[in-house]
Amino acid sequence: MVRVPLTPEQIEAGRRLGALLRETRAGRDPVAVAHSAGISPETLRKIEMGRLPSPGFGTVVGLCAALGLPLDTAAGVWLGEPAH
């Protein structure tokens, strides 16, 4: 199956989400957060840096749970709404 390229808006949404996750993680160990979310530390790093702008829903849910971040806050940031 051929994947349709992301639009510039989707790439920017991914950057916003990555920044929110990085900010929420703050001083917590990225390896521990990644493992708690069920992903690799490299995947977490790529998401936080905006290099993986369209992570899977399960990945986002896992990260939100690991960080104590409400999923609706993450969704709002993805959609361009200001974080609460």
Side-chain angles (χ1 to χ4, degrees):
M1 174 165 54
V2 176
R3 185 171 179 167
V4 177
L6 297 175
T7 66
E9 293 80 14
Q10 290 170 318
I11 292 170
E12 183 55 34
R15 288 187 183 130
R16 287 192 306 269
L17 178 63
L20 172 68
L21 294 171
R22 185 174 54 253
E23 178 183 310
T24 303
R25 181 174 58 79
R28 290 182 256 188
D29 178 33
V31 173
V33 170
H35 288 172
S36 178
I39 61 173
S40 72
E42 178 65 13
T43 298
L44 175 59
R45 187 179 68 76
K46 286 179 181 178
I47 293 169
E48 288 184 348
M49 299 307 294
R51 290 186 43 226
L52 183 60
S54 184
F57 181 70
T59 298
V60 175
V61 169
L63 282 167
C64 286
L67 294 168
L69 176 66
L71 188 57
D72 63 335
T73 299
V77 167
W78 173 270
L79 294 170
E81 300 168 3
H84 300 105

